[in-house]
Amino acid sequence: MERFNIEESLKEHGIRRTPFRIELLTLFAEAKHALSHHDITEKLKPGQDRVTIYRALDAFVEKGLIHKVPDVHGAIAKYALCSHDCSSEKHEDDHIHFVCHKCEQTYCMEDIHIPKISLPKGYQKDHSDFIIHGTCESCSNS
Amino acid sequence: MERFNIEESLKEHGIRRTPFRIELLTLFAEAKHALSHHDITEKLKPGQDRVTIYRALDAFVEKGLIHKVPDVHGAIAKYALCSHDCSSEKHEDDHIHFVCHKCEQTYCMEDIHIPKISLPKGYQKDHSDFIIHGTCESCSNS
DNA sequence: CTGTGTGCAAAGGGTTTGCAAGTAC
DNA sequence: GTACTTGCAAACCCTTTGCACACAG
């Protein structure tokens, strides 16, 4: 994830630069993997209101700043920064997600795009999710 | 989904053939798409205990009779019959799932296998989920 | 000033746990 | 008889909604 300007980014996406939202977006900018609501509460100072976090996340997703990472098999929802120029109109997070079953983190594989699949007659694709489960690099080496 | 013997199947997978479990598995055998807990309560006679359903589903998954269908973006968990010879030891449900945003059903595309992806050095794949969202055949024609 | 964001309280909904009684094998 | 299943009650946890106050633009 290339460095980017937090406040600039909020402004560009039409989100007010409140201290809390700046802090939240900073978390995402610094994260090496997707964050769940729970991850976020742990990284923020204790006492931060849960609801405010939910609403900020919703706003970020809505405005194209982050994307909701597909959670499979009942896992808790996670979120990660959008890589490209997503907006309210269109998200373009066409990459594969990797879920490590050891460290339980979810990684955006920005460089690996989801392969095209030919569907049976009559089925029309809108978008797709591809999640690979396994062991991540750092967990493999330990 | 080829026809198969309900009671035989329960027996083979080491699950007791109680009236309720026979009825539940029958639902899956007749379903053309994945079923959620909610779908199931609607198809069973009213008053069937929720917890019993949860536990039966867990048992079926554990024993390799059904698989949990990847629910993406906070959807409710769904389940579908396993196609091949899954067991407690190993599930082999290597097919794509199609989620229709109109009828909100999830279909197992048994014939379409998940493509192999080459991962970066160090990442080891265990299994993967591929979910395509869009409009299904019957919803396209209406 | 105006619309958005925050904090608190409470409700809602899905899923899990505990335990006693019932049943398949 | 033994182990697994069921049913009921209650607990848990995540998420959403409502509302009054605070604050960015």
Side-chain angles (χ1 to χ4, degrees):
Chain A
M1 180 64 54
E2 76 275 14
R3 222 73 185 102
F4 80 124
N5 187 302
I6 304 292
E7 301 201 22
E8 194 66 29
S9 192
L10 287 170
K11 191 175 179 184
E12 281 172 4
H13 288 83
I15 297 172
R16 291 195 176 167
R17 285 160 286 169
T18 68
F20 167 67
R21 297 200 168 190
I22 291 171
E23 190 179 357
L24 181 58
L25 186 53
T26 305
L27 280 189
F28 279 103
E30 292 172 348
K32 288 178 291 296
H33 47 71
L35 300 173
S36 67
H37 183 281
H38 183 253
D39 294 334
I40 292 166
T41 58
E42 290 194 330
K43 286 174 187 285
L44 292 172
K45 55 184 171 305
Q48 175 60 51
D49 185 56
R50 304 175 59 74
V51 178
T52 301
I53 300 174
Y54 281 116
R55 288 200 260 235
L57 290 171
D58 286 347
F60 285 7
V61 170
E62 217 286 305
K63 298 299 171 64
L65 259 175
I66 62 177
H67 60 283
K68 209 163 175 175
V69 173
D71 57 41
V72 178
H73 290 183
I76 295 168
K78 296 201 175 192
Y79 304 82
L81 269 192
C82 292
S83 38
H84 306 302
D85 300 311
C86 293
S87 66
S88 303
E89 288 72 45
K90 190 152 174 53
H91 271 274
E92 313 212 19
D93 301 295
D94 179 36
H95 56 267
I96 283 175
H97 290 95
F98 188 92
V99 178
C100 177
H101 56 72
K102 285 185 87 171
C103 63
E104 300 190 314
Q105 299 299 355
T106 302
Y107 300 89
C108 293
M109 313 290 258
E110 315 265 2
D111 302 332
I112 309 183
H113 290 277
I114 297 179
K116 303 275 176 284
I117 296 288
S118 62
L119 292 168
K121 206 173 166 57
Y123 286 84
Q124 292 169 30
K125 174 192 156 183
D126 176 31
H127 67 280
S128 46
D129 289 300
F130 197 148
I131 306 102
I132 300 182
H133 303 255
T135 314
C136 74
E137 190 187 10
S138 44
C139 289
S140 293
N141 303 324
S142 59
Chain B
M1 180 64 53
E2 74 275 15
R3 220 76 185 100
F4 80 124
N5 187 300
I6 304 292
E7 300 201 25
E8 193 66 28
S9 193
L10 287 170
K11 191 176 178 183
E12 280 173 5
H13 288 82
I15 298 171
R16 290 194 179 168
R17 285 160 287 169
T18 67
F20 167 68
R21 297 200 170 191
I22 291 170
E23 190 179 358
L24 181 60
L25 186 53
T26 305
L27 280 190
F28 279 103
E30 293 172 348
K32 288 177 292 297
H33 47 71
L35 300 174
S36 66
H37 183 281
H38 183 253
D39 295 334
I40 293 166
T41 57
E42 291 195 329
K43 287 172 187 286
L44 292 172
K45 55 184 171 303
Q48 174 59 53
D49 186 55
R50 305 174 57 74
V51 179
T52 301
I53 300 173
Y54 280 116
R55 287 199 261 234
L57 290 172
D58 286 347
F60 285 8
V61 170
E62 218 286 306
K63 298 298 171 63
L65 259 176
I66 62 176
H67 59 284
K68 209 164 176 176
V69 173
D71 57 38
V72 177
H73 289 184
I76 295 167
K78 296 200 175 194
Y79 304 82
L81 269 192
C82 291
S83 39
H84 306 300
D85 300 309
C86 293
S87 67
S88 303
E89 287 73 43
K90 189 150 176 52
H91 272 275
E92 311 213 21
D93 302 296
D94 180 36
H95 56 268
I96 283 175
H97 289 95
F98 188 92
V99 179
C100 177
H101 56 72
K102 285 186 87 172
C103 63
E104 299 190 316
Q105 299 299 354
T106 301
Y107 301 90
C108 293
M109 313 290 258
E110 316 264 4
D111 302 331
I112 309 182
H113 289 277
I114 297 178
K116 302 275 176 286
I117 296 288
S118 62
L119 292 167
K121 206 173 165 61
Y123 287 84
Q124 292 169 30
K125 173 191 155 182
D126 176 32
H127 67 281
S128 45
D129 289 301
F130 197 147
I131 306 101
I132 301 183
H133 303 255
T135 314
C136 74
E137 191 185 12
S138 45
C139 288
S140 293
N141 302 325
S142 59

